[in-house]
Amino acid sequence: DGGITQSPKYLFRKEGQNVTLSCEQNLNHDAMYWYRQDPGQGLRLIYYSQIVNDFQKGDIAEGYSVSREKKESFPLTVTSAQKNPTAFYLCASSRRDIQETQYFGPGTRLLVL
Amino acid sequence: GENVEQHPSTLSVQEGDSAVIKCTYSDSASNYFPWYKQELGKGPQLIIDIRSNVGEKKDQRIAVTLNKTAKHFSLHITETQPEDSAVYFCAADTGRRALTFGSGTRLQVQP
């Protein structure tokens, strides 16, 4: 898991509620990523950020939002517009100069009540 | 966009045997191909990677081969051990500087 922390480990969401997942890294990495993993499937990219105050949509950004106000932090908000949010959410980071090498956090499991 | 296909989805081997997992990709511009191991309830961990300027890379019992012409790459694990049991993912980089992942292979090593 390196120097990437995610919290909480488990999160429960009620219908119509927005929830925010935390991701922090102390690796001095420039780039950060959010992925969604459904049971028995691969990882799908939600959002990524290559530098502070800038981020781009991935393949499944609808219903999610992010911010990148600090280099160390890349929180993900799951909004009420995301109709099927139950999944395992993984945050990753990488150095800008070898950007492709990504290191992952331990993940947050989101469940809908 | 990039598409990465991974086979097989499950693989069962006897301890000491070899295991091979194969991936194909669609974007000829891809040039970085990592492999990750994921244990239950945890985040993926990088185990080996290869770049397009080499055809093979080894790290102890693990090796990866790359055929750019055919657009496929493979993970080879020799002398498998029970602790190798996990889900393995291949991935390829895209022009957006993000990774596209395969669907995963669940490897079970029988003692």
Side-chain angles (χ1 to χ4, degrees), chain A residues 80-110:
Chain A
S80 57
Q82 172 50 246
K83 298 306 179 187
N84 184 24
T86 297
F88 190 46
Y89 290 87
L90 289 157
C91 178
S93 70
S94 66
R95 285 171 52 187
R96 191 174 176 86
D97 55 349
I98 49 171
Q99 198 158 339
E100 302 92 343
T101 305
Q102 295 182 17
Y103 299 91
F104 284 84
T108 292
R109 189 165 299 280
L110 176 61

Side-chain angles (χ1 to χ4, degrees), chain A residues 1 9 33 35 37 40-43 45 48 50 57-59 88 90 98-106, chain B residues 31-32 34 36 38 41-46 49 51 87 89 93 96-104 106:
Chain A
D1 298 337
K9 188 175 177 67
Y33 311 81
Y35 292 90
Q37 186 176 30
Q41 297 189 29
L43 284 68
L45 183 67
Y48 65 106
Q50 296 179 329
K57 293 181 179 180
D59 299 317
F88 190 46
L90 289 157
I98 49 171
Q99 198 158 339
E100 302 92 343
T101 305
Q102 295 182 17
Y103 299 91
F104 284 84
Chain B
N31 57 27
Y32 175 68
Y36 286 87
Q38 186 178 28
K42 297 184 178 180
Q45 287 193 314
L46 181 73
D49 57 13
R51 297 182 190 274
V87 179
F89 291 97
D93 70 322
R96 298 175 304 182
R97 309 297 276 174
L99 294 175
T100 299
F101 285 80
S103 54
R106 183 174 299 279

Side-chain angles (χ1 to χ4, degrees), chain A residues 41-53:
Chain A
Q41 297 189 29
L43 284 68
R44 292 184 290 168
L45 183 67
I46 305 173
Y47 268 99
Y48 65 106
S49 168
Q50 296 179 329
I51 197 167
V52 173
N53 292 323

Side-chain angles (χ1 to χ4, degrees), chain A residues 3-109:
Chain A
I4 304 174
T5 58
Q6 290 186 242
S7 62
K9 188 175 177 67
Y10 295 96
L11 185 58
F12 298 92
R13 193 191 92 163
K14 295 179 181 179
E15 291 288 339
Q17 186 180 42
N18 292 354
V19 292
T20 297
L21 285 62
S22 170
C23 178
E24 304 276 334
Q25 54 96 1
N26 62 3
L27 301 169
N28 199 33
H29 284 173
D30 286 297
M32 297 187 74
Y33 311 81
W34 275 106
Y35 292 90
R36 169 179 171 143
Q37 186 176 30
D38 292 285
Q41 297 189 29
L43 284 68
R44 292 184 290 168
L45 183 67
I46 305 173
Y47 268 99
Y48 65 106
S49 168
Q50 296 179 329
I51 197 167
V52 173
N53 292 323
D54 186 48
F55 48 83
Q56 287 79 40
K57 293 181 179 180
D59 299 317
I60 55 166
E62 185 174 351
Y64 301 97
S65 65
V66 294
S67 63
R68 187 83 189 278
E69 298 177 1
K70 298 187 300 182
K71 186 176 184 177
E72 302 78 19
S73 178
F74 191 39
L76 173 74
T77 297
V78 184
T79 74
S80 57
Q82 172 50 246
K83 298 306 179 187
N84 184 24
T86 297
F88 190 46
Y89 290 87
L90 289 157
C91 178
S93 70
S94 66
R95 285 171 52 187
R96 191 174 176 86
D97 55 349
I98 49 171
Q99 198 158 339
E100 302 92 343
T101 305
Q102 295 182 17
Y103 299 91
F104 284 84
T108 292
R109 189 165 299 280

